[in-house]
Structure formats: structure tokens, C-alpha cells
Amino acid sequence: EVQLVESGGGLVQPGGSLRLSCAASGFTFSTYAMSWVRQAPGKGLEWVSTLSGGGSSTYYADSVKGRFTISRDNSKNTLYLQMNSLRAEDTAVYYCAKGTNRGGTTDYWGQGTLVTVSS
Amino acid sequence: QSALTQPPSASGSPGQSVTISCTGTSSDVGGYNYVSWYQQHPGKAPKLMIYEVTKRPSGVPDRFSGSKSGNTASLTVSGLQAEDEADYYCSSYAGSNNFVVFGGGTKLTVL
């Protein structure tokens, strides 16, 4: 059974940093792309970033490019999202999602972790 | 990265069919057969219902079907049931620069 468990969310001041983690199990982690998708309170889904299985290809939404960094440790079956220079508009539930390696499709999602950027 | 366009709401009575549209451009929906649909109940994570325009993951009822014509994709839910009431989001591959774009979501109400 595929399981994705996010952690690392919390309250941070504007301009601050936070690192999210996603622990994966139930599949061969290193062979699948992984993504982060966020959802601001009461709003829709917004794709944030995707990283290929081997870690060589990264993709970012314009809204986070230059501030967020996606990475993975395939030996620990863990996906990360380093978030710097956080802004109020980054406040959202951040979901980790497993890719299918075909066209950005994601087939399993974690339960999400809430990031609140506020002074 | 412009969002795909979905109607904010849709509704139908139990047993009826409802179709939700998702309009993009030739750079996303119209350019690739990588349209997905996700169902999200309140407070829950999204669940994949349709991928690659028409395919259903294992376990998704065949009441859910997808299609595409030009730059517009559609999700049809037939034989509406109370548990189908949820938010539905479409997404599309948008090439190596923008990668993935989501629609704004449609709230489906079962009357």
C-alpha cells in the first residue's frame, strides 16, 4: 500500500524558512517522480514543484522559482521541499504526491502539512 | 502559468448525469493527452479519478468517465450518488517549462 506522510509544517514569519519532508513507502521510491502541490485555505490546488526519480530533473512553478528547492534522498525514501523567503501568499496545505512518470500525473497523495506565514 | 478554466459549481439529482468542463489552450489540454481529474472531499487529500484523458485507476467506479475535444476536457459522472458530492479539479501537462497546471475546481452538489 502506497503511503505518503508529510511533516515539517508550522507557523513561520514572513521572510523565514521552512523545510518540509515526505516519507514514502509501499513502492519503489527511486523510480518515480515526486511532486509538491499546495492548497491555500478555501482555494484550489496549485502545482508547486516536481522532481524526477533519479533527481536529475526539477520543475518549479513561477510563483516559487528561486525561493523553493525540491530534493530527495532515495536511500531514505524521503522527498523534501526547502522553502526560503516565505511570503504570506505561501500559506497553504502542502501535499506530497507520487508521480506516474507520464505527463506530470500524480496517483497518490499524502494528507498534507499546513504552512502558515504570518507575523 | 494560467489556470485551466472550470465552472465553479455543478449539480444534479441522484441517478442523473453531470458533466464538468475544463478549458485550457493548445499549450496544455489541447497539446497533450495528459489530462487528469481529482476528487476532493472536505478536509481530505485529492484522489485521482481519471488520468490520460480517459483512463480510470483501479477502484474508481465506471460511472466516472473522461473525454477531450480540442482545448476542452470533460469529466462525466453518471448515476450520481450522494458520495459523489465533492470538489473536482482537472489538471494537464503543460510542457517542460510550466509542467503542470490545475483548474480552479468545481463544487459538485448532489441535490
Side-chain angles (χ1 to χ4, degrees):
Chain A
E1 178 193 6
V2 172
Q3 287 198 324
L4 300 168
V5 180
E6 302 94 336
S7 61
L11 175 63
V12 61
Q13 292 188 339
S17 298
L18 211 56
R19 188 177 84 154
L20 305 183
S21 299
C22 170
S25 61
F27 63 102
T28 306
F29 182 72
S30 61
T31 62
Y32 289 97
M34 296 293 294
S35 295
W36 289 98
V37 179
R38 68 185 181 183
Q39 187 170 34
K43 302 296 185 182
L45 301 174
E46 180 188 14
W47 170 76
V48 173
S49 184
T50 296
L51 177 60
S52 61
S56 60
S57 298
T58 57
Y59 308 90
Y60 295 97
D62 287 343
S63 57
V64 307
K65 203 171 292 184
R67 299 188 300 123
F68 290 11
T69 302
I70 191 171
S71 62
R72 64 194 297 160
D73 185 336
N74 287 342
S75 69
K76 295 182 178 179
N77 288 357
T78 303
L79 177 73
Y80 303 100
L81 185 67
Q82 177 67 43
M83 304 185 295
N84 298 330
S85 303
L86 282 162
R87 308 165 180 167
E89 53 265 36
D90 295 318
T91 294
V93 173
Y94 284 73
Y95 294 102
C96 161
K98 171 188 169 291
T100 64
N101 295 338
R102 290 175 62 84
T105 303
T106 51
D107 55 358
Y108 292 93
W109 296 50
Q111 286 305 302
T113 187
L114 176 62
V115 173
T116 303
V117 184
S118 174
S119 55
Chain B
Q1 292 156 330
S2 300
L4 306 176
T5 300
Q6 297 182 234
S9 63
S11 62
S13 300
Q16 289 186 332
S17 294
V18 64
T19 297
I20 299 170
S21 63
C22 170
T23 301
T25 69
S26 58
S27 297
D28 38 63
V29 174
Y32 308 94
N33 287 323
Y34 288 120
V35 175
S36 300
W37 289 91
Y38 299 88
Q39 176 191 68
Q40 186 180 35
H41 287 109
K44 299 295 186 182
K47 174 186 176 183
L48 180 66
M49 303 301 284
I50 296 289
Y51 67 102
E52 295 178 20
V53 181
T54 61
K55 299 177 181 178
R56 268 189 319 276
S58 174
V60 172
D62 60 6
R63 303 185 293 103
F64 291 84
S65 62
S67 63
K68 190 184 84 167
S69 178
N71 296 336
T72 298
S74 298
L75 172 72
T76 297
V77 185
S78 305
L80 273 173
Q81 298 183 4
E83 59 262 36
D84 299 333
E85 185 163 296
D87 293 326
Y88 290 84
Y89 295 90
C90 63
S91 75
S92 174
Y93 179 65
S96 58
N97 286 333
N98 296 325
F99 206 69
V100 170
V101 61
F102 279 93
T106 298
K107 181 176 181 59
L108 175 61
T109 300
V110 180
L111 302 170

